[in-house]
Amino acid sequence: MKTVTAETDKQRWQREVLEPGLKQAPERPGSFTTISGRPIDRLATPEDLEHFDYSRDLNNPGEFPYTRGIHPGGYRGKLWTMRQFAGFGTPEETNERYKTLLQAGGTGLSVAFDLPTLMGRDPDHELSLGETGKCGVSIVSLADMERLFEGIDLAGITTSMTINSPAPMIFAMYLVVAEKQGADWKKLSGTIQNDILKEFIAQKEYIFPPRESMRLITDIFSFCMKEVPKWNTISVSGYHIREAGSTSLQELAFTLRDGIEYVQYGIDAGLDVDAFAPQISFFFNSHSDFFEEIAKFRAARKIWAEVMRDRFGAKNERSWKLRFHTQTAGVSLTAQQPYNNVVRTALQALAAVLGGTNSLHTNSLDEALALPTAEAATLALRTQQIIASESGVINMVDPLGGSYFLEKLTLDMERGAKEYFDTIDRMGGMVEAIEQGYPQKEIAEASYRFQQAVERREKIIVGVNDYVQEDEPPYPILYIDDTAAERQLERLADLKQTRDNDRVRQSLEALRRAARGTENTMHPLLECVRAYATVGEMCDALREVWGEYAEVPLI
Amino acid sequence: MKKIRVVIAKPGLDGHDRGAKVIARALRDAGMEVIYTGLRQTPEQIVAAALQEDADAIGLSILSGAHMHICPRVMQLLKEKGLDDVIVVIGGIIPDVDIPKLKAAGVKGIFLPGTPMQSIIDFINSNVRPRAEAV
């Protein structure tokens, strides 16, 4: 028997109004998809939210599942933290840039380290050739960390440090600088990125194998619960996953699944979930597809609240609340017509604010050309200040809540992320999925698909594959020469002459012992740092015990 | 017709492999044999790979700013090994002021952000083809 279903209002509209209209004025050719390739219907109506439940799916700001934000008052109380990522050359040069940003109204520091530091190599290592001080600031020993924060009161500022494999070493240096300033560790606040899973997945700045790397992270969880309780012990990052070419959904799903992995490892290490989970924070990308990004941020809060309460049985509301930093999409910026990047960044920053970010970095217009000049970095900060002070979007909490389109997208993102969770759970977890190359392959596929769409001009990038301008005037960039590298090499040689090398040897031996056994590695690391052991020496000690990870190159 | 053989390598400490992987796939889809070395290759390792793989071209992806150290070293090693006819192209974030210096060191093609994949394919085809056919 054939069932006849009544025509819905949307179907009626399509038949009576839309179709005649399209005959008069047809839609443009091609498909209507987000930048991630998600097809978008032309109209959302209440029919698209048929099973939507306000208190279950949204609820009020500050109430579970926090889709509308973790703070009941949105930005009417405290604005997001305007935190500009910066670092280059010697610690002194970066210290000067920090002082410029703080004087311009920046409200937090964010340290960019150079590649040797990120990879746990000293400037005199073969692989550091040409890299010292280029992509960030070079930090070799405690002496550099003291120079980096000279004249900056660590008890009075929050500092975010983008450091992963050597996170425990750099964090130990920060703690010792604070100690020397007389600051109480219990009052220190800030973040270490410390997210190794996304390194294996996307950014590829790993040193040790996955399981040993996870042990360093649970050591930090356990150390900070007692010693540095206001510190964000990890910033589970989607940013790099997205920059490596993932879709918006993949960024959401892999990041949150990484978060689940960290919580599981913490619990497996014997920690009480509610004692360490409130110190976990997140870091997302804000890319160019406006609504898809806002939906991603809102879905992230909702999924995390449910995961923490239902999957892990967390009882503390602070464990349920997903707090996140956002950075606008570096990968979306073009070397062509660089001033266009100011506009891209402003739109992406607005999406982050409408998605309820807790902290934000806006990229500088020259990001596709070089590290930012001081002028470009200031303009990027001004972009945030204009959104906060002039656009009016901060007046109402979650102003887009209830939009048929946005709520549907938020639900779609949530559903898609949970499907990815199921796939990864079936593999045994994220560490196992990484070992099988699963997220890496998914991202490589998505990145190639996007590049092909750009090549075929199905996706337009202004100034690159459309509206191209020949003979562009050169843009003045920050050029980083080798003087910082030479300076750091000289200092390293001096350091090895002047420090107590017996103390260094003994502290490194204690670190090796802890790595072989079960003692928390943070304690011997603090001793290594106080003895002025270098980042390279501390990482080498662990390399000797644990070995190094090497990925199988896949294309 | 013999397929063009290309070694795609990422020298230095930088792990941003999106560009290298996309280009490797595009060249493979364009009919070339592509050998991707993976991350953190020293100039010595890259030249050894080119020798072992009988490469016609080497593509280096560098985003970290270390190109002025790495590229001249690769060119020098190629010369020492008698591989002067292997063409070298680089892609990445390369300041304008460095371009003439890299060209003078013997780098054949320099591709900046936003370059269409097809331009790179065409460049390799037109610069390598005569050599491949002469063999």
mmCIF file of all heavy atoms in Angstrom, chain B residues 65-85:
data_model
loop_
_atom_site.group_PDB
_atom_site.id
_atom_site.type_symbol
_atom_site.label_atom_id
_atom_site.label_comp_id
_atom_site.label_asym_id
_atom_site.label_seq_id
_atom_site.Cartn_x
_atom_site.Cartn_y
_atom_site.Cartn_z
ATOM 1 N N GLY B 65 62.265 29.162 6.796
ATOM 2 C CA GLY B 65 63.241 30.246 6.666
ATOM 3 C C GLY B 65 64.671 29.752 6.581
ATOM 4 O O GLY B 65 65.596 30.555 6.526
ATOM 5 N N ALA B 66 64.872 28.438 6.539
ATOM 6 C CA ALA B 66 66.246 27.899 6.510
ATOM 7 C C ALA B 66 66.747 27.669 5.081
ATOM 8 O O ALA B 66 67.830 27.112 4.887
ATOM 9 C CB ALA B 66 66.299 26.590 7.299
ATOM 10 N N HIS B 67 65.993 28.131 4.083
ATOM 11 C CA HIS B 67 66.326 27.835 2.675
ATOM 12 C C HIS B 67 67.713 28.313 2.254
ATOM 13 O O HIS B 67 68.362 27.671 1.451
ATOM 14 C CB HIS B 67 65.259 28.416 1.744
ATOM 15 C CG HIS B 67 64.950 29.844 2.038
ATOM 16 N ND1 HIS B 67 63.996 30.206 2.962
ATOM 17 C CD2 HIS B 67 65.479 30.989 1.576
ATOM 18 C CE1 HIS B 67 63.953 31.518 3.040
ATOM 19 N NE2 HIS B 67 64.843 32.019 2.213
ATOM 20 N N MET B 68 68.175 29.458 2.826
ATOM 21 C CA MET B 68 69.469 29.977 2.390
ATOM 22 C C MET B 68 70.628 29.110 2.883
ATOM 23 O O MET B 68 71.750 29.237 2.408
ATOM 24 C CB MET B 68 69.659 31.437 2.851
ATOM 25 C CG MET B 68 68.760 32.431 2.155
ATOM 26 S SD MET B 68 68.771 32.294 0.351
ATOM 27 C CE MET B 68 70.450 32.777 -0.016
ATOM 28 N N HIS B 69 70.362 28.274 3.863
ATOM 29 C CA HIS B 69 71.386 27.332 4.317
ATOM 30 C C HIS B 69 71.266 26.007 3.583
ATOM 31 O O HIS B 69 72.263 25.382 3.247
ATOM 32 C CB HIS B 69 71.262 27.103 5.833
ATOM 33 C CG HIS B 69 71.657 28.307 6.617
ATOM 34 N ND1 HIS B 69 72.937 28.494 7.073
ATOM 35 C CD2 HIS B 69 70.951 29.402 6.981
ATOM 36 C CE1 HIS B 69 72.998 29.656 7.709
ATOM 37 N NE2 HIS B 69 71.809 30.230 7.665
ATOM 38 N N ILE B 70 70.023 25.580 3.372
ATOM 39 C CA ILE B 70 69.797 24.228 2.855
ATOM 40 C C ILE B 70 70.016 24.145 1.342
ATOM 41 O O ILE B 70 70.693 23.233 0.857
ATOM 42 C CB ILE B 70 68.378 23.771 3.252
ATOM 43 C CG1 ILE B 70 68.353 23.507 4.768
ATOM 44 C CG2 ILE B 70 67.962 22.529 2.478
ATOM 45 C CD1 ILE B 70 66.993 23.522 5.386
ATOM 46 N N CYS B 71 69.446 25.081 0.591
ATOM 47 C CA CYS B 71 69.494 24.959 -0.874
ATOM 48 C C CYS B 71 70.920 24.993 -1.430
ATOM 49 O O CYS B 71 71.282 24.118 -2.222
ATOM 50 C CB CYS B 71 68.609 26.007 -1.530
ATOM 51 S SG CYS B 71 66.904 25.780 -1.073
ATOM 52 N N PRO B 72 71.745 25.959 -1.027
ATOM 53 C CA PRO B 72 73.106 25.952 -1.580
ATOM 54 C C PRO B 72 73.862 24.658 -1.247
ATOM 55 O O PRO B 72 74.637 24.157 -2.061
ATOM 56 C CB PRO B 72 73.767 27.166 -0.908
ATOM 57 C CG PRO B 72 72.635 28.059 -0.545
ATOM 58 C CD PRO B 72 71.495 27.145 -0.195
ATOM 59 N N ARG B 73 73.595 24.111 -0.074
ATOM 60 C CA ARG B 73 74.255 22.861 0.334
ATOM 61 C C ARG B 73 73.798 21.697 -0.563
ATOM 62 O O ARG B 73 74.617 20.884 -0.995
ATOM 63 C CB ARG B 73 73.894 22.592 1.808
ATOM 64 C CG ARG B 73 74.462 21.313 2.358
ATOM 65 C CD ARG B 73 75.893 21.487 2.848
ATOM 66 N NE ARG B 73 76.446 20.204 3.266
ATOM 67 C CZ ARG B 73 77.593 19.687 2.813
ATOM 68 N NH1 ARG B 73 78.335 20.354 1.959
ATOM 69 N NH2 ARG B 73 78.008 18.523 3.236
ATOM 70 N N VAL B 74 72.518 21.633 -0.861
ATOM 71 C CA VAL B 74 72.008 20.582 -1.753
ATOM 72 C C VAL B 74 72.656 20.728 -3.132
ATOM 73 O O VAL B 74 73.119 19.741 -3.723
ATOM 74 C CB VAL B 74 70.459 20.636 -1.860
ATOM 75 C CG1 VAL B 74 69.941 19.740 -2.972
ATOM 76 C CG2 VAL B 74 69.813 20.240 -0.529
ATOM 77 N N MET B 75 72.738 21.962 -3.620
ATOM 78 C CA MET B 75 73.310 22.197 -4.958
ATOM 79 C C MET B 75 74.786 21.774 -4.993
ATOM 80 O O MET B 75 75.245 21.148 -5.947
ATOM 81 C CB MET B 75 73.202 23.680 -5.344
ATOM 82 C CG MET B 75 71.791 24.246 -5.412
ATOM 83 S SD MET B 75 70.592 23.240 -6.309
ATOM 84 C CE MET B 75 71.291 23.209 -7.927
ATOM 85 N N GLN B 76 75.490 22.095 -3.925
ATOM 86 C CA GLN B 76 76.918 21.763 -3.857
ATOM 87 C C GLN B 76 77.112 20.239 -3.845
ATOM 88 O O GLN B 76 77.961 19.698 -4.557
ATOM 89 C CB GLN B 76 77.494 22.392 -2.588
ATOM 90 C CG GLN B 76 78.990 22.199 -2.408
ATOM 91 C CD GLN B 76 79.384 22.358 -0.934
ATOM 92 O OE1 GLN B 76 78.675 22.980 -0.143
ATOM 93 N NE2 GLN B 76 80.519 21.785 -0.566
ATOM 94 N N LEU B 77 76.297 19.546 -3.056
ATOM 95 C CA LEU B 77 76.409 18.084 -2.967
ATOM 96 C C LEU B 77 76.052 17.421 -4.303
ATOM 97 O O LEU B 77 76.667 16.424 -4.692
ATOM 98 C CB LEU B 77 75.510 17.543 -1.855
ATOM 99 C CG LEU B 77 75.972 17.840 -0.424
ATOM 100 C CD1 LEU B 77 74.851 17.553 0.572
ATOM 101 C CD2 LEU B 77 77.209 17.001 -0.076
ATOM 102 N N LEU B 78 75.056 17.971 -4.994
ATOM 103 C CA LEU B 78 74.676 17.406 -6.297
ATOM 104 C C LEU B 78 75.865 17.481 -7.259
ATOM 105 O O LEU B 78 76.160 16.544 -7.995
ATOM 106 C CB LEU B 78 73.476 18.154 -6.892
ATOM 107 C CG LEU B 78 72.114 17.836 -6.288
ATOM 108 C CD1 LEU B 78 71.056 18.773 -6.848
ATOM 109 C CD2 LEU B 78 71.718 16.382 -6.528
ATOM 110 N N LYS B 79 76.541 18.632 -7.216
ATOM 111 C CA LYS B 79 77.697 18.839 -8.080
ATOM 112 C C LYS B 79 78.788 17.822 -7.746
ATOM 113 O O LYS B 79 79.348 17.165 -8.621
ATOM 114 C CB LYS B 79 78.203 20.278 -7.912
ATOM 115 C CG LYS B 79 79.180 20.697 -8.987
ATOM 116 C CD LYS B 79 79.510 22.186 -8.892
ATOM 117 C CE LYS B 79 78.440 23.053 -9.574
ATOM 118 N NZ LYS B 79 78.731 24.485 -9.435
ATOM 119 N N GLU B 80 79.039 17.670 -6.432
ATOM 120 C CA GLU B 80 80.077 16.725 -5.998
ATOM 121 C C GLU B 80 79.800 15.289 -6.437
ATOM 122 O O GLU B 80 80.718 14.522 -6.680
ATOM 123 C CB GLU B 80 80.213 16.761 -4.470
ATOM 124 C CG GLU B 80 80.922 18.009 -3.968
ATOM 125 C CD GLU B 80 80.878 18.135 -2.447
ATOM 126 O OE1 GLU B 80 80.656 17.123 -1.758
ATOM 127 O OE2 GLU B 80 81.059 19.267 -1.970
ATOM 128 N N LYS B 81 78.507 14.938 -6.488
ATOM 129 C CA LYS B 81 78.144 13.568 -6.857
ATOM 130 C C LYS B 81 77.957 13.413 -8.373
ATOM 131 O O LYS B 81 77.494 12.371 -8.834
ATOM 132 C CB LYS B 81 76.827 13.151 -6.172
ATOM 133 C CG LYS B 81 76.853 13.230 -4.677
ATOM 134 C CD LYS B 81 77.427 11.968 -4.050
ATOM 135 C CE LYS B 81 77.454 12.117 -2.538
ATOM 136 N NZ LYS B 81 78.376 11.216 -1.883
ATOM 137 N N GLY B 82 78.219 14.479 -9.098
ATOM 138 C CA GLY B 82 78.049 14.417 -10.547
ATOM 139 C C GLY B 82 76.592 14.400 -10.977
ATOM 140 O O GLY B 82 76.246 13.879 -12.039
ATOM 141 N N LEU B 83 75.713 14.960 -10.130
ATOM 142 C CA LEU B 83 74.289 14.976 -10.468
ATOM 143 C C LEU B 83 73.847 16.379 -10.908
ATOM 144 O O LEU B 83 72.729 16.801 -10.658
ATOM 145 C CB LEU B 83 73.449 14.533 -9.258
ATOM 146 C CG LEU B 83 73.689 13.112 -8.735
ATOM 147 C CD1 LEU B 83 72.903 12.882 -7.449
ATOM 148 C CD2 LEU B 83 73.284 12.081 -9.774
ATOM 149 N N ASP B 84 74.726 17.073 -11.613
ATOM 150 C CA ASP B 84 74.430 18.462 -12.004
ATOM 151 C C ASP B 84 73.191 18.578 -12.864
ATOM 152 O O ASP B 84 72.558 19.625 -12.936
ATOM 153 C CB ASP B 84 75.582 19.083 -12.816
ATOM 154 C CG ASP B 84 76.941 18.788 -12.257
ATOM 155 O OD1 ASP B 84 77.222 17.591 -12.026
ATOM 156 O OD2 ASP B 84 77.701 19.745 -12.063
ATOM 157 N N ASP B 85 72.830 17.475 -13.553
ATOM 158 C CA ASP B 85 71.678 17.567 -14.460
ATOM 159 C C ASP B 85 70.344 17.341 -13.756
ATOM 160 O O ASP B 85 69.285 17.440 -14.382
ATOM 161 C CB ASP B 85 71.838 16.575 -15.632
ATOM 162 C CG ASP B 85 72.042 15.150 -15.138
ATOM 163 O OD1 ASP B 85 72.342 14.971 -13.933
ATOM 164 O OD2 ASP B 85 71.900 14.218 -15.944
#
